[in-house]
């Protein structure tokens, strides 16, 4: 196991009705700017509950944060924070609203051009406004981590940053707040959490059985509850609770400590979203099966472990087990209604060229746990995903 520091300061308020407890975790004199996306938070009543829970504190609402939040919209929010003298942010929404809150919180305290935050991947953040979140879409893990992904619409760049200053102070995880989600977003959530787990688990053995067993437990949970959630005629609280907690645990740092990490699938996926506006999780389903196959030698030991412990594949040659594990992964995504081929989006060879050019422009030329996923490797992965 590699050396590590682990410090996650985010308080989780889990369960039905927990929005009511927000007031205990926001300073009494705070001036709060609530951040929301489109109309979903208002329509579901979640925004109203959050306002109520602020218990008379001065607050206002900034709405219009789009999926794959834009740098441009975030800057408008920064201006609103400054003009209104707000000193606490409350994000009510999915990963996009929470990611935007992180960027806004840092940009308000940043001297200079906020684009530099993304250029430096957050290493130049020295302070940020405090913020809490009310999660309405289990998927990204943003509610309990310090990472964020922001898109510069004009440049077509989708870039991630992180900082010790951008952990939420608290996050409310109420599984009942997912009941209004369309099936498509629930399926996206299952796949995003699955691929987060894979990016930290499926590398090479690091003598880290605790992290491995946690990761395998998350993968098996998602395989169990994902299809049930997508097929259920009515929402089932316990399944929603399992998905919500699995998605949070998949990317709150715990399973990634002391082990090598990959993230190549995510970096390629971000370019597909920036170029073609495909939902984040859907880009991952396009890339991951082809990536696992392309890198089957470097990942051999872990692929065999994955085949046995996650898919119960114990028969046949090593290569046959690896093939079957990759096929099961692909079939799992497809069973949730998520395509694993670029052709499903009518995309062909020209997309491959465009993604590779963007990866090069963003310096994503040495990806993966061995830094050996060069643009040539990424090209083969995308060509195999056509
Ligand atoms: O905008 P509103 O009206 O809120 O509608 C949203 C949006 O259209 C809707 N929605 C959310 N909660 C709902 C709901 N609709 C009905 N009922 C509810 N309870 O769902 C749509 C998608 O929301 P979004 O926040 O964009 O989805 P998600 O949570 O999947 O977030 C995706 C973003 O997170 C980034 C992605 O790149 C993408 O930009 N990621 C962030 C990560 C992190 N911070 O750690 C890691 C991830 O790998 C990912 O990159
Ligand atoms: Zn993701």
């Amino acid at each position: 196991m590699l050396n590590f520091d682990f410090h996650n300061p985010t308080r989780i308020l889990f369960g039905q009705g927990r929005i009511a407890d927000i007031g205990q975790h926001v300073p009494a004199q705070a001036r709060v700017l609530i951040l929301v996306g489109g109309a979903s938070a208002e329509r579901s009543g979640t925004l109203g509950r959050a306002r109520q829970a602020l218990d008379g504190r001065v607050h206002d609402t900034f709405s219009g944060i789009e999926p794959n939040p834009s740098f441009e919209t975030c800057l408008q929010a920064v201006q609103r924070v400054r003009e209104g003298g707000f000193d606490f942010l409350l994000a009510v929404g999915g990963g996009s609203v929470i990611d935007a809150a992180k960027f806004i919180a840092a940009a308000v305290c940043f001297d200079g051009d906020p684009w530099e935050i993304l250029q430096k991947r957050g290493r130049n953040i020295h302070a940020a406004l405090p913020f809490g979140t009310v999660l309405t879409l289990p998927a990204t893990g943003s509610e309990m981590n310090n990472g964020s992904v922001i898109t510069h619409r004009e440049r077509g760049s989708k870039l991630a940053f992180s900082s010790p200053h951008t952990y939420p102070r608290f996050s409310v995880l109420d599984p009942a707040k997912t009941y209004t989600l369309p099936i498509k977003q629930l399926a996206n959530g299952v796949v995003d959490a699955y691929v987060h787990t894979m990016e930290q688990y499926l590398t090479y053995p690091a003598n880290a059985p605790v992290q491995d067993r946690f990761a395998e437990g998350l993968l098996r949970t998602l395989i169990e509850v994902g299809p049930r959630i997508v097929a259920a005629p009515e929402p089932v609280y316990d399944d929603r609770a399992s998905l919500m907690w699995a998605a949070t645990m998949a990317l709150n740092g715990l399973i990634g400590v002391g082990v090598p990490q990959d993230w190549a699938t995510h970096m390629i996926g971000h370019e597909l979203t920036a170029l073609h506006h495909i939902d984040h999780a859907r880009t991952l389903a396009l890339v991951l099966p082809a990536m696992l196959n392309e890198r089957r030698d470097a990942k051999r030991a872990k692929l065999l472990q994955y085949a046995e412990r996650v898919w119960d594949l114990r028969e046949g040659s090593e290569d046959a087990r690896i093939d079957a594990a990759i096929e099961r992964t692909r079939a799992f995504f497809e069973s949730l209604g998520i395509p694993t081929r670029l052709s499903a989006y009518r995309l062909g060879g020209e997309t491959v060229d465009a993604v590779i050019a963007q990866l090069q422009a963003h310096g994503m030329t040495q990806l993966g746990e061995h830094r050996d996923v060069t643009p040539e490797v990424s090209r083969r992965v995308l060509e195999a995903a056509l």
Side-chain angles (χ1 to χ4, degrees):
M1 204 184 303
L2 310 170
N3 289 2
F4 62 86
D5 270 31
F6 183 58
H7 175 71
N8 189 316
T10 302
R11 175 187 300 274
I12 296 296
L13 305 171
F14 192 98
Q16 214 156 359
R18 298 306 308 277
I19 295 180
D21 299 332
I22 286 177
Q24 297 166 31
H25 304 286
V26 178
Q29 303 305 322
R31 294 174 63 85
V32 183
L33 186 62
I34 303 176
L35 305 168
V36 293
S40 81
E42 178 134 43
R43 215 181 295 130
S44 65
T46 308
L47 177 58
R49 297 256 149 65
R51 284 181 177 139
Q52 244 171 18
L54 287 175
D55 221 5
R57 288 173 182 81
V58 175
H59 68 268
D60 200 353
T61 305
F62 180 94
S63 61
I65 292 168
E66 55 282 83
N68 308 304
S70 74
F71 178 72
E72 293 86 342
T73 303
C74 288
L75 289 194
Q76 290 173 23
V78 168
Q79 198 181 346
R80 188 74 168 277
V81 170
R82 290 191 174 135
E83 284 168 4
F86 297 103
D87 53 17
F88 198 97
L89 304 177
L90 181 63
V92 180
S96 292
V97 177
I98 299 174
D99 280 8
K102 292 175 182 177
F103 185 73
I104 295 159
V108 166
C109 302
F110 190 77
D111 289 328
D113 178 359
W115 181 243
E116 289 170 15
I117 293 176
L118 291 159
Q119 284 175 319
K120 294 260 159 60
R121 307 289 190 260
R123 286 188 302 276
N124 47 358
I125 296 174
H126 302 297
L129 284 187
F131 66 97
T133 90
V134 176
L135 180 68
T136 62
L137 197 177
T140 63
S142 188
E143 65 279 4
M144 200 180 177
N145 69 36
N146 64 353
S148 162
V149 194
I150 300 294
T151 300
H152 198 298
R153 292 266 181 268
E154 210 178 293
R155 294 174 207 239
S157 297
K158 185 171 189 191
L159 297 178
F161 75 91
S162 64
S163 160
H165 300 284
T166 51
Y167 281 97
R169 293 292 163 103
F170 64 82
S171 285
V172 176
L173 274 57
D174 177 346
K177 294 296 162 220
T178 69
Y179 289 178
T180 51
L181 279 167
I183 297 292
K184 178 183 169 191
Q185 294 297 347
L186 288 162
N188 283 356
V190 173
V191 169
D192 197 18
Y194 196 92
V195 180
H196 292 161
T197 309
M198 292 289 273
E199 299 264 41
Q200 298 162 91
Y201 165 73
L202 221 149
T203 56
Y204 55 86
N207 297 315
V210 175
Q211 293 89 322
D212 279 2
R213 298 281 190 193
F214 265 122
E216 288 153 2
L218 293 173
L219 296 172
R220 292 197 73 126
T221 301
L222 292 166
I223 290 166
E224 198 177 306
V225 302
R228 274 209 308 259
I229 287 173
V230 168
E234 294 296 328
V236 175
Y237 180 84
D238 285 324
D239 282 349
R240 298 297 175 100
S242 299
L243 171 59
M244 206 167 216
W245 191 225
T248 300
M249 291 294 287
L251 199 52
N252 66 358
L254 189 73
I255 64 167
V257 294
V259 297
Q261 301 191 12
D262 183 341
W263 299 107
T265 293
H266 266 72
M267 294 309 122
I268 298 173
H270 287 168
E271 303 299 358
L272 280 167
T273 298
L275 288 170
H276 298 292
H277 311 290
I278 302 171
D279 290 352
H280 170 65
R282 292 177 168 249
T283 67
L284 307 176
L286 293 170
V287 179
L288 185 76
M291 180 67 80
L292 294 178
N293 192 45
E294 167 67 29
R295 305 197 55 227
R296 61 194 291 145
D297 291 333
K299 292 181 179 292
R300 192 168 195 84
K302 271 312 206 32
L303 276 167
L304 288 166
Q305 182 178 323
Y306 171 64
E308 180 178 340
R309 295 195 193 166
V310 176
W311 293 109
D312 299 316
L313 296 163
R314 298 187 179 83
E315 310 285 319
S317 69
E318 289 192 350
D319 277 308
R321 277 177 275 153
I322 291 173
D323 284 341
I326 296 173
E327 238 2 87
R328 291 287 188 94
T329 309
R330 184 187 292 284
F332 174 55
F333 295 162
E334 296 272 358
S335 78
L336 298 168
I338 301 208
T340 57
R341 299 273 178 202
L342 284 160
S343 54
Y345 300 93
R346 299 182 197 284
L347 296 175
E350 62 298 337
T351 292
V352 178
D353 293 334
V355 170
I356 298 302
Q358 287 298 84
L359 285 170
Q360 280 169 324
H362 297 141
M364 303 288 175
T365 53
Q366 292 180 297
L367 302 172
E369 66 273 24
H370 295 299
R371 323 304 302 155
D372 59 356
V373 180
T374 58
E376 294 72 50
V377 178
S378 297
R379 176 179 289 283
R380 286 202 296 274
V381 168
L382 288 163
E383 281 171 352
L386 284 173

